[in-house]
Amino acid sequence: MALENVDFGNINEIPYRPLRPGIDQAVFAMSGDGVNVTVNRVDNGNDLRPHTHDDHQQIAWILQGECDYYVDGEPFRMTAGSWVVVPKGVEHYIHVYDSPETVVNVDIFAPAREDYNEAYSQFLKQQGYQGFNIID
């Protein structure tokens, strides 16, 4: 079986779009079946936005920096290598306030966040970026 399109890239080379104050985001693995992945750069003093995803389970994984990740009101102190699973419908948010460096947070969503795929694809088109699969 020959593969026609393989979704491939490097998170250190793809553009980040501003998501909200203190957070930039890139989306990858957009061609995954039922899953997608975001990488977020989160600064100290990020805009806090407690929220839920009624239709999506989320795994938050910290690659760099330090933060508190709140799930259902409970803070989890996260450092490089830490992860937490956020069940569907449970309130959560990231709080970065004393990290010695920008937090790099990977979020894995199942099923895929099609809204993120679409918004990021539009951002790539607007930026004239050619080095990435764009969802039409």
Side-chain angles (χ1 to χ4, degrees):
M1 176 177 159
L3 294 177
E4 291 182 22
N5 290 315
V6 175
D7 195 349
F8 173 82
N10 184 315
I11 63 170
N12 296 313
E13 298 172 359
I14 59 179
Y16 286 76
R17 73 180 179 101
L19 187 62
R20 63 180 180 265
I23 301 179
D24 294 333
Q25 179 188 73
V27 181
F28 61 101
M30 292 190 292
S31 66
D33 188 15
V35 66
N36 66 345
V37 182
T38 68
V39 62
N40 310 285
R41 297 182 303 203
V42 188
D43 294 324
N44 283 316
N46 68 294
D47 191 21
L48 303 181
R49 297 228 180 132
H51 62 281
T52 62
H53 307 290
D54 291 334
D55 299 322
H56 302 91
Q57 178 173 277
Q58 177 177 345
I59 300 169
W61 178 24
I62 304 301
L63 299 183
Q64 171 185 296
E66 300 174 16
C67 65
D68 287 344
Y69 206 99
Y70 285 78
V71 178
D72 199 24
E74 182 177 346
F76 293 87
R77 187 64 183 167
M78 309 276 279
T79 59
S82 299
W83 52 269
V84 63
V85 176
V86 181
K88 293 178 184 180
V90 174
E91 185 177 84
H92 60 282
Y93 64 96
I94 187 170
H95 185 197
V96 180
Y97 57 91
D98 66 351
S99 185
E101 56 193 336
T102 297
V103 169
V104 177
N105 160 227
V106 172
D107 288 324
I108 303 164
F109 292 98
R113 291 286 308 263
E114 296 299 337
D115 57 330
Y116 280 1
N117 288 352
E118 292 170 18
Y120 189 66
S121 290
Q122 288 300 316
F123 170 75
L124 292 175
K125 286 179 187 178
Q126 291 168 354
Q127 298 298 310
Y129 195 78
Q130 301 296 319
F132 207 69
N133 287 340
I134 297 175
I135 306 297
D136 288 320

